[in-house]
Amino acid sequence: MTRVIGLTGGIGTGKSTVARLLADLGAVVVDADAIVRELQAPGSPALAEIAAALGSDVLDPAGALDRARVADRVFRDPALRQRLNAIMHPRVGAEMARRTDAARRAGAPLVVMDIPLLFETRPRDRDAARGGSDATVLVYAAPSVQIDRTVARDGCTREEAERRIAAQLPIDEKRALADYVIDNGGALADTERQVRGLFAKLIGQAATAGTR
């Protein structure tokens, strides 16, 4: 029996690292960010809608989306962020559902729906936040760690990092909504240990459910 989890985190928490570790263990990862990039390819209907909503100058000379410019605008303007979400979320949700169903039919033991804004787009209730998944997993790091990592990774100022993080639901509120938490604030070896333990637990639950 396939078990499906929703994986989320916050800017700078290291969600991509945890997704990669789960994939290495044999999980099928359905990556919302990767799907977004596919749907926003030059010439796509979604990209045309984004340019109409945010302005044609969000496209570079080759007709591709200037993601840095878009990020700068939407993190400063909540209304623009909502317009972008309205364009992308239905498309991304439909494609994620299609890929998850395909993985189920193929008999994957664990499917990980990697969704950065999972809790932002669902009701603030643990049961409701699961949506179509069996459980939710949060990759956690303290806000100070989020800021430091974002500055180091993106080369932005601390003020900009704080603004981006503030645009998401506070990480401690996400922690209260999650069924499982991977604390990625320390050494990679500790994160790997937690991920292996969680994977074994989830696969064991799937095996038990399949024998009922």
Side-chain angles (χ1 to χ4, degrees), residues 39-110:
L39 294 174
Q40 293 175 346
S44 66
L47 188 58
E49 285 193 43
I50 292 169
L54 275 65
S56 60
D57 60 339
V58 298
L59 303 181
D60 66 19
L65 191 65
D66 184 333
R67 298 183 188 282
R69 180 166 290 182
V70 170
D72 181 66
R73 289 190 184 175
V74 300
F75 280 119
R76 293 175 184 273
D77 188 333
L80 276 182
R81 188 162 65 248
Q82 289 178 1
R83 291 174 71 183
L84 180 62
N85 289 342
I87 293 168
M88 295 306 304
H89 283 173
R91 290 178 165 93
V92 175
E95 181 60 19
M96 291 197 74
R98 187 190 71 76
R99 296 187 188 190
T100 298
D101 287 344
R104 283 183 188 272
R105 291 194 300 272
L110 179 68

Side-chain angles (χ1 to χ4, degrees), residues 65-195:
L65 191 65
D66 184 333
R67 298 183 188 282
R69 180 166 290 182
V70 170
D72 181 66
R73 289 190 184 175
V74 300
F75 280 119
R76 293 175 184 273
D77 188 333
L80 276 182
R81 188 162 65 248
Q82 289 178 1
R83 291 174 71 183
L84 180 62
N85 289 342
I87 293 168
M88 295 306 304
H89 283 173
R91 290 178 165 93
V92 175
E95 181 60 19
M96 291 197 74
R98 187 190 71 76
R99 296 187 188 190
T100 298
D101 287 344
R104 283 183 188 272
R105 291 194 300 272
L110 179 68
V111 178
V112 178
M113 296 192 298
D114 183 346
I115 308 174
L117 299 179
L118 187 151
F119 292 134
E120 284 85 347
T121 58
R122 294 181 181 177
R124 304 292 192 270
D125 172 84
R126 178 172 289 189
D127 292 334
R130 294 189 190 107
S133 65
D134 297 305
T136 58
V137 178
L138 173 73
V139 182
Y140 178 89
S144 60
V145 174
Q146 288 184 268
I147 293 168
D148 290 343
R149 287 177 176 171
T150 302
V151 170
R153 182 192 66 192
D154 298 344
C156 61
T157 64
R158 293 187 68 83
E159 181 183 19
E160 178 61 24
E162 290 170 356
R163 182 162 48 243
R164 293 181 185 182
I165 291 167
Q168 297 185 343
L169 193 67
I171 195 70
D172 287 309
E173 290 187 33
K174 293 184 179 185
R175 186 170 196 158
L177 290 168
D179 294 303
Y180 301 99
V181 176
I182 298 291
D183 190 329
N184 191 36
L188 178 59
D190 185 50
T191 299
E192 291 174 339
R193 178 189 58 77
Q194 294 176 70
V195 172

